[in-house]
Amino acid sequence: MTLHERLQARLPGIQPPPIVVAGRLVRMVGLTLEAVGLKGVTGSRCFIERQDQERVEAEVVGFSGESTFLMPVSTIEGLSPGACVYPAPGIARFPAGRGLLGRVLDGRGRALDQRGSLQAEASVGLQGAVINPLSRQPIRSVLDVGVRCINALFTVGRGQRMGLFAGSGVGKSVLLGMMARYTQADVTVVGLIGERGREVKEFIDDILGVDGLRRAVVVASPADDPPLLRLHAAAYATALAEYYRDQGLHVLLLMDSLTRYAQAQRELALAIGEPPATRGYPPSVFTKLPALVERAGNGREGQGSLTAFYTVLTEGDDLQDPVADAARAILDGHLVLSRTLADEGHFPAIDVEASISRLMQQLSTPEQLRRALRFKQMWSRYRQNLDLIAIGAYARGSDADTDYVQEHRPEILQFLRQGMVEAAPLELARDHLMRLVAAAGG
């Protein structure tokens, strides 16, 4: 029985909508499906019948002449040549609302946590409404993220978009979990895009924790999901954050990772024939990245805020990687995590010299800004002389800043380091910085 016939059986006496006109599947190369006779616009959904009369969901991603290119959202096993392809009515909508807090969802808006049906009072599309940049509220208030080094040296504002740049295994996910627990936000939306499936449960149970999950929604699409589903998961997490922001809430969006999102778009674009450009990345990747990131930020007057942190995986710890370079240009600051510091057991492994918050001047008092700059100068001079110190070639008195850091190294490391279950409120972090720099005569 075809899908057309099953619709008639379920709805006796009611004619199916006229759009249920089947195309035919004629070709499959990798994950790209080619159909003829299908009338659908790009971005619309369709369903392909398998031989066992189950169906595979797909999305229209391109066309050429009479051929329509589809990308599956679910597994493609069981498809055969000539399979019927039915367009689905309307644009896909996904659950939203405060009833989702504490839940874990996949890229299609379905529950992954086996805690029963979702209590969603609203729905959202994957593409948010574009906000006129002149209509956005300016970033004026400071956001307490609960991490001492960030609060004191790289102050973040509500509505800011920051990147965490690091190679694999340097502590990005753990730092995200700390901010999810301690940041002063009404709602946290976590997008786990393209990471290992094992890490999803570990992030929720061990890093986010019960307290963090209570006011959070997690959207997870691990690496074994089709590339289109990974793209949908990132867009869905952003759409949820937009929904809560538009309800007047202060929202924190944590996405791990922006690089996996770019890689999913690369897979999709190459599969439908887009030529590669920079290091194998097609041009559409560098169009999609700002389109996603620009959706974060403050809303219109009277709405809430949406502060976003995106992790960026630097291949081979290369900060000039194409995705890292593109992300750095469109974000409002970046925190670079150092593998050298991580290997020394220094956590969070934030490279003070390579990191910056582009809005700190507007958000900090002149005194805090002056002392933060003074601290960075002292720490930088000390790091420059580390090799000399290690071989015993440095003579005390050669540089006052290096002498001070050497003498007070335990106190400075206590300031820069922080345990995973330790919260560092904004005011305490600022006071700690003031004391350190004041003791140096700063």
Side-chain angles (χ1 to χ4, degrees):
M1 182 182 294
T2 67
L3 178 62
H4 193 137
E5 293 168 338
R6 293 206 305 274
L7 284 172
Q8 288 182 320
R10 293 177 185 175
L11 304 172
I14 299 178
Q15 292 297 321
I19 60 172
V20 184
V21 177
R24 295 286 176 178
L25 189 64
V26 297
R27 190 179 181 210
M28 180 171 67
V29 179
L31 290 178
T32 307
L33 309 176
E34 183 179 338
V36 295
L38 180 68
K39 303 299 181 183
V41 299
T42 54
S44 62
R45 295 182 304 151
C46 59
F47 297 100
I48 310 168
E49 281 200 333
R50 301 191 317 199
Q51 288 185 337
D52 59 3
Q53 297 189 356
E54 293 298 320
R55 59 186 188 175
V56 173
E57 184 179 350
E59 182 176 304
V60 177
V61 295
F63 51 84
S64 176
E66 295 299 319
S67 297
T68 301
F69 300 116
L70 312 173
M71 188 65 66
V73 178
S74 53
T75 180
I76 59 176
E77 279 74 16
L79 293 181
S80 61
C84 294
V85 184
Y86 296 93
I91 300 297
R93 305 286 296 180
F94 295 77
R98 299 198 187 196
L100 299 184
L101 295 180
R103 301 303 301 268
V104 183
L105 314 175
D106 67 5
R108 286 186 278 180
R110 302 179 305 185
L112 284 175
D113 52 15
Q114 300 178 343
R115 291 176 49 198
S117 60
L118 299 175
Q119 303 299 318
E121 62 268 22
S123 64
V124 293
L126 293 181
Q127 304 302 322
V130 177
I131 300 178
N132 186 322
L134 298 182
S135 301
R136 287 185 184 269
Q137 301 177 58
I139 299 174
R140 292 289 183 266
S141 57
V142 175
L143 178 68
D144 184 356
V145 299
V147 180
R148 186 183 305 109
C149 180
I150 299 175
N151 278 339
L153 301 177
F154 311 103
T155 306
V156 177
R158 290 194 184 276
Q160 192 168 345
R161 298 161 302 193
M162 294 285 287
L164 300 180
F165 291 70
S168 57
V170 185
K172 300 184 302 298
S173 298
V174 177
L175 184 55
L176 282 185
M178 291 176 63
M179 289 188 286
R181 285 196 299 270
Y182 304 132
T183 297
Q184 299 298 312
D186 299 320
V187 175
T188 301
V189 179
V190 182
L192 302 177
I193 312 302
E195 298 297 325
R196 292 180 289 273
R198 170 186 60 80
E199 291 185 329
V200 175
K201 184 172 178 59
E202 289 182 359
F203 184 90
I204 294 169
D205 293 345
D206 303 333
I207 298 177
L208 190 58
V210 176
D211 293 336
L213 184 60
R214 189 175 292 116
R215 60 184 178 97
V217 183
V218 178
V219 180
S221 181
D224 58 345
D225 278 349
L228 188 61
L229 192 55
R230 282 176 264 149
L231 293 176
H232 283 182
Y236 179 35
T238 305
L240 280 175
E242 289 175 316
Y243 171 82
Y244 295 124
R245 176 195 65 192
D246 295 345
Q247 299 298 309
L249 302 176
H250 295 301
V251 184
L252 176 67
L253 172 63
L254 305 174
M255 189 169 293
D256 186 11
S257 72
L258 197 62
T259 304
R260 303 301 187 197
Y261 174 82
Q263 290 173 346
Q265 175 60 25
R266 177 175 63 179
E267 291 177 45
L268 189 150
L270 292 176
I272 62 175
E274 186 178 350
T278 308
R279 292 199 197 175
Y281 285 95
S284 63
V285 171
F286 304 103
T287 301
K288 285 280 191 178
L289 283 176
L292 181 73
V293 170
E294 282 293 326
R295 293 170 61 181
N298 286 337
R300 299 178 180 88
E301 292 293 336
Q303 295 181 338
S305 65
L306 201 176
T307 309
F309 285 86
Y310 301 92
T311 67
V312 180
L313 182 63
T314 54
E315 297 182 6
D317 295 326
D318 179 13
L319 291 176
Q320 305 309 315
D321 170 79
V323 174
D325 196 44
R328 193 165 48 245
I330 58 179
L331 293 170
D332 301 323
H334 51 272
L335 302 172
V336 178
L337 303 187
S338 165
R339 187 173 300 278
T340 301
L341 292 176
D343 291 342
E344 295 173 358
H346 182 119
F347 182 82
I350 297 175
D351 188 335
V352 172
E353 299 167 84
S355 304
I356 189 171
S357 171
R358 294 179 179 174
L359 293 174
M360 187 168 177
Q361 289 189 340
Q362 294 96 300
L363 298 170
S364 305
T365 63
E367 182 64 16
Q368 182 200 351
L369 186 62
R370 185 180 68 81
R371 298 205 176 191
L373 291 174
R374 180 74 181 107
F375 179 89
K376 292 178 184 178
Q377 290 169 356
M378 291 190 301
W379 184 250
S380 179
R381 295 294 292 272
Y382 169 74
R383 299 289 297 184
Q384 290 169 14
N385 287 315
L386 268 181
D387 290 341
L388 295 176
I389 296 172
I391 63 175
Y394 175 79
R396 284 188 66 84
S398 301
D399 180 75
D401 289 343
T402 303
D403 292 343
Y404 176 80
V405 174
Q406 270 194 289
E407 183 178 349
H408 297 85
R409 188 170 180 271
E411 297 96 312
I412 292 174
L413 290 180
Q414 183 185 13
F415 170 73
L416 293 175
R417 293 175 177 174
Q418 185 172 331
M420 190 175 73
V421 295
E422 174 191 355
L426 178 67
E427 290 304 320
L428 293 181
R430 285 176 168 175
D431 291 344
H432 199 159
L433 172 67
M434 297 295 184
R435 291 195 304 273
L436 279 178
V437 178

